[in-house]
Amino acid sequence: MAQAAQAPSGTRDLLADEVRRRKAAFNTLAQIFEGFGFDPLETPAFENLDVITGKYGEEASKLIFKILKRGIHEASGQADLALRYDHTVPLARVIGTHGAKLPTPYKRYAIGPVWRADRPQEGRFREFVQCDIDTVGSLSPLADAEVVLALAQGLDALGVHDFTFMVNSRKALYALLEAYGIDTSAGPAVLATLDKLDKVDAAEVVKELTAARGLDPEVAEALVGDVAAETSDRVRERLGTTEQGQAGLTEVDRLIELAISAGLAPERIVYTPRMVRGLDYYTGAIYEVVAAGYPGSIAAGGRYDHLVATLGGPDTPACGGSIGIERILAIQGSENTEQRGLDVALTVLGNEEHLMRLATELRSKGLRVGTYLGSSTKLGKQLKWANDQKARITVLYGADEQAASEVTLRDMQTGDQRRVPLGTAAADVCRVLEQS
């Protein structure tokens, strides 16, 4: 026997119960985002390649799924399109395209799939859903705080309660590099290496900073020692000596202060000097969220004030964040999966026309109704089908019922049965369901 075809590596087939569980989570987040005044936005699954490239940094750029040119250009091996890597760059492109039609500031949320040519592993996919919120057109720290609060409320609604926002600032990070005499041009590469501190030990990070980034070993060790220290005192002391460093610390402290004033517990948001965020487009406050029992970060975001300008739009301030819904759902497993069956299953033992009319009437009342479509005329097999469909009520319409213009309603949990007139069957079914 030939081996069954499999879904592409890094992707999944989602069956009915899992789809319902995911939709419930997405709807929960959408309701919260709407409550904060964010509007929905949908963008194409792919963008022009020049829109996507050069926006994410050295490591992330390697994960972009490129689409080869089609038709007579296919043989060239060149690409002109790319699958959406995230929802942030498409948003920046939308601002440049439709900015005149949009309110200022523009607040939007996006819940949809993105694609990354990553190496598939447990809990890591090449196609996955991101849940993003962003505010474009505001420099106010209230905008950053509002995103943090919406993400926090979303996590809590998803059942993730023991979480911590690790906050930093790109201004503070670059000021720290300046304090160590590290050239600005080397900044992105150095920060990309520092971003690995949560994945590998400090010695490996020091080694990469010296071997690959060209830092003096003493500088590399001191830098890593500062950002990886248990407290932020040493970093705060260094940053306090420069104007940019002070601006970065003020940015961090103000975001934390606003979030706490709005009700976020102090232990849920802390300044974390080692937290970098690898994407190049961030310009100000940045954060990642970790939670007990969940690997890596489960939410992240920050301020990116110049991204829109790189795509031909105005130099517009912006900030936003994203919830790692896939990691959360994977860890939670299927214990919260809604296993929804049929409200009503109709057996077919003759007089199909009457059954079709009854099915239509039941559906008009908002019920989920299934009709037996198999070939067996045996009631036992049809009841097994109804049970497999997790039906709550099964309608029997055999020869005796047809002769009396009645139907039998069978409760599939208790096995209780009652005969009711065919003409009132839909109303009777609704009453039985309300009572069960």
Side-chain angles (χ1 to χ4, degrees), residues 208-281:
E208 183 173 323
L209 286 173
T210 55
R213 308 307 186 192
L215 267 61
D216 181 273
E218 291 185 2
V219 171
E221 288 180 9
L223 174 61
V224 171
D226 275 359
V227 300
E230 291 187 5
T231 71
S232 62
D233 294 346
R234 284 157 54 182
V235 170
R236 282 185 176 275
E237 184 177 347
R238 288 187 183 275
L239 292 177
T241 62
T242 69
E243 184 177 345
Q244 185 181 18
Q246 291 173 3
L249 287 176
T250 297
E251 203 168 43
V252 168
D253 292 340
R254 184 58 174 153
L255 176 56
I256 293 173
E257 180 184 43
L258 287 171
I260 292 174
S261 71
L264 191 62
E267 66 271 17
R268 295 282 169 255
I269 183 165
V270 296
Y271 172 40
T272 310
R274 73 176 184 279
M275 205 286 298
V276 172
R277 296 292 293 143
L279 302 181
D280 280 356
Y281 54 63

Side-chain angles (χ1 to χ4, degrees), residues 116-128:
R116 297 182 184 178
D118 212 343
R119 183 172 61 184
Q121 52 188 289
E122 184 69 26
R124 199 175 191 91
F125 304 101
R126 290 175 168 175
E127 178 186 61
F128 57 95

Side-chain angles (χ1 to χ4, degrees), residues 394-408:
T394 297
V395 175
L396 313 180
Y397 191 47
D400 289 345
E401 287 91 353
Q402 292 170 36
S405 294
E406 295 178 337
V407 297
T408 297

Side-chain angles (χ1 to χ4, degrees), residues 30-111:
Q31 185 175 8
I32 289 170
F33 297 159
E34 291 272 1
F36 277 81
F38 292 89
D39 291 323
L41 174 69
E42 294 184 1
T43 61
F46 50 86
E47 297 278 354
N48 290 318
L49 184 59
D50 59 352
V51 169
I52 296 291
T53 54
K55 309 299 187 303
Y56 298 106
E58 177 184 345
E59 295 298 322
S61 292
K62 300 174 184 177
L63 306 181
I64 294 172
F65 263 117
K66 299 177 181 178
I67 302 175
L68 294 179
K69 290 183 176 181
R70 280 83 42 218
I72 61 174
H73 303 289
E74 184 176 353
S76 70
Q78 296 177 335
D80 61 346
L81 301 172
L83 289 178
R84 187 170 60 203
Y85 181 91
D86 68 1
H87 292 299
T88 305
V89 168
L91 168 64
R93 195 260 309 150
V94 166
I95 298 300
T97 306
H98 304 286
K101 306 175 187 176
L102 300 173
T104 301
Y106 175 54
K107 298 168 62 175
R108 84 89 178 88
Y109 70 91
I111 299 176

